[in-house]
């Protein structure tokens, strides 16, 4: 599958890794529809890249269904889904103020894991309708995990659990969708220079970068987008999680 013939939906496409992915795909000829809760920013990015936008709550079945229908109407089909929508929460299982609120854990799982599955399953319906390409392929789903799935830190129990779920569903989802010739991959990024990290003082950014093995810097969002594009084009990649972290292993 080539990016120039791709019709992609990108969740969380209004900022961070999702925006970088949407921009990379569009710059290489792909049709792109951005799914995001931020209508103002999402519309702006979509206009800049010549794409489309659908305000979407990934945890809501009706919202995602409507967004999928909108994307098909605008692009004619969906061949790629990249799930970048997510939230980061902090809190220990048992902190100074008591146990972690169950709502915090549930919300993190709902957005990061259930939301990704919700989009993937509904996008797969449309992909299965596509005419297979020369390699027999009908679609590609790329979910976003994290190195926290493997090296979760103190206070990351909710986040690491949600990303561990992404890792765990990659292979079985690939096996589920093999009959329809839809590939499933996941990317586990390390510490990336997203808007959240850009708000930290430069000293804090430098300290985080120093822990990265090589190159000793924070990841650039465009590198995530480039890897997502490579996965789309490399048809033999399936059912795997790729760490994108400069060999960082968190202490």
């Amino acid at each position: 599958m080539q990016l120039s013939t791709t019709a992609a939906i990108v969740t969380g496409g209004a900022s961070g890794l999702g925006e970088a992915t949407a921009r990379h795909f569009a710059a290489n000829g792909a049709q792109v529809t951005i799914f995001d809760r931020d209508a103002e920013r999402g519309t702006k990015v979509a206009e800049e890249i010549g794409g489309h936008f659908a305000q979407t709550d990934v945890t809501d079945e009706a919202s995602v269904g409507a967004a999928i229908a909108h994307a098909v109407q605008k692009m004619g089909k969906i061949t790629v889904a990249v799930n970048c929508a997510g939230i980061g929460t902090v809190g220990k299982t048992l902190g100074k103020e008591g146990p972690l609120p169950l709502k915090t854990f549930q919300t993190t799982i709902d957005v990061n894991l259930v939301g990704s599955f919700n989009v993937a399953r509904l996008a797969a319906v449309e992909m299965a309708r596509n005419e297979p390409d020369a390699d027999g392929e009908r679609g590609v789903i790329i979910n976003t995990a994290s190195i926290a799935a493997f090296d979760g830190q103190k206070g990351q129990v909710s986040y690491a659990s949600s990303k561990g779920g992404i890792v765990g569903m990659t292979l079985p989802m690939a096996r589920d969708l093999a009959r329809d010739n839809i590939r499933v991959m996941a990317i586990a990024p390390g510490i990336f220079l997203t808007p959240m990290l850009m708000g930290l003082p430069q000293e804090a950014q430098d300290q985080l970068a120093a822990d990265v093995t090589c190159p000793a810097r924070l990841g650039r969002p465009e590198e995530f987008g480039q890897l997502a594009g490579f996965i789309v084009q490399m048809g033999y990649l399936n059912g795997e999680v790729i760490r994108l972290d400069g060999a960082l292993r968190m202490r």
Side-chain angles (χ1 to χ4, degrees):
M1 188 178 296
Q2 299 301 312
L3 287 181
S4 59
T5 58
T6 290
I9 59 173
V10 181
T11 73
S15 63
L17 303 179
E19 179 184 349
T21 300
R23 290 186 181 279
H24 177 72
F25 278 39
N28 285 274
Q31 297 185 78
V32 178
T33 300
I34 290 171
F35 290 9
D36 205 286
R37 297 186 69 174
D38 188 340
E40 181 179 356
R41 177 66 184 169
T43 300
K44 181 176 184 294
V45 174
E47 289 176 349
E48 290 176 354
I49 66 174
H52 314 284
F53 173 74
Q55 188 172 24
T56 314
D57 177 355
V58 297
T59 67
D60 183 83
E61 184 172 6
S63 178
V64 173
I68 291 283
H70 177 75
V72 172
Q73 179 187 17
K74 292 295 184 180
M75 301 189 299
K77 60 183 178 180
I78 295 172
T79 59
V80 173
V82 185
N83 276 309
C84 294
I87 58 173
T89 53
V90 178
K92 293 182 179 179
T93 305
L94 180 60
K96 294 180 179 179
E97 298 181 359
L100 180 75
L102 187 59
K103 182 65 174 177
T104 300
F105 190 88
Q106 288 177 326
T107 300
T108 308
I109 297 296
D110 281 347
V111 175
N112 295 353
L113 179 57
V114 178
S116 294
F117 180 75
N118 191 25
V119 173
R121 71 189 184 93
L122 295 179
V125 173
E126 295 300 327
M127 292 177 184
R129 296 189 174 113
N130 294 334
E131 287 296 322
D133 64 12
D135 204 28
E137 191 169 22
R138 288 190 170 93
V140 183
I141 295 169
I142 303 172
N143 294 316
T144 302
S146 167
I147 62 169
F150 312 103
D151 305 331
Q153 303 295 291
K154 289 186 295 185
Q156 282 192 321
V157 64
S158 301
Y159 184 73
S161 296
S162 69
K163 295 303 185 178
I166 295 289
V167 170
M169 77 178 183
T170 300
L171 182 57
M173 184 181 287
R175 287 172 167 164
D176 283 350
L177 298 177
R179 182 187 63 182
D180 299 297
N181 292 323
I182 299 170
R183 293 187 289 119
V184 181
M185 290 287 293
I187 301 174
I191 304 176
F192 271 66
L193 197 58
T194 57
M196 181 176 65
L197 279 181
M198 290 173 67
L200 295 176
Q202 188 61 48
E203 181 180 355
Q205 293 185 30
D206 293 343
Q207 185 174 357
L208 288 170
D211 288 335
V212 181
T213 305
C214 181
R217 60 169 175 80
L218 301 179
R220 300 175 182 133
E222 56 266 30
E223 293 172 317
F224 180 97
Q226 290 164 6
L227 178 55
F230 176 78
I231 290 171
V232 169
Q233 296 176 95
M234 179 51 65
Y236 209 56
L237 280 173
N238 193 18
E240 187 55 270
V241 181
I242 300 176
R243 289 183 68 134
L244 185 64
D245 59 11
L248 173 64
R249 298 296 183 270
M250 302 293 285
R251 290 190 291 270

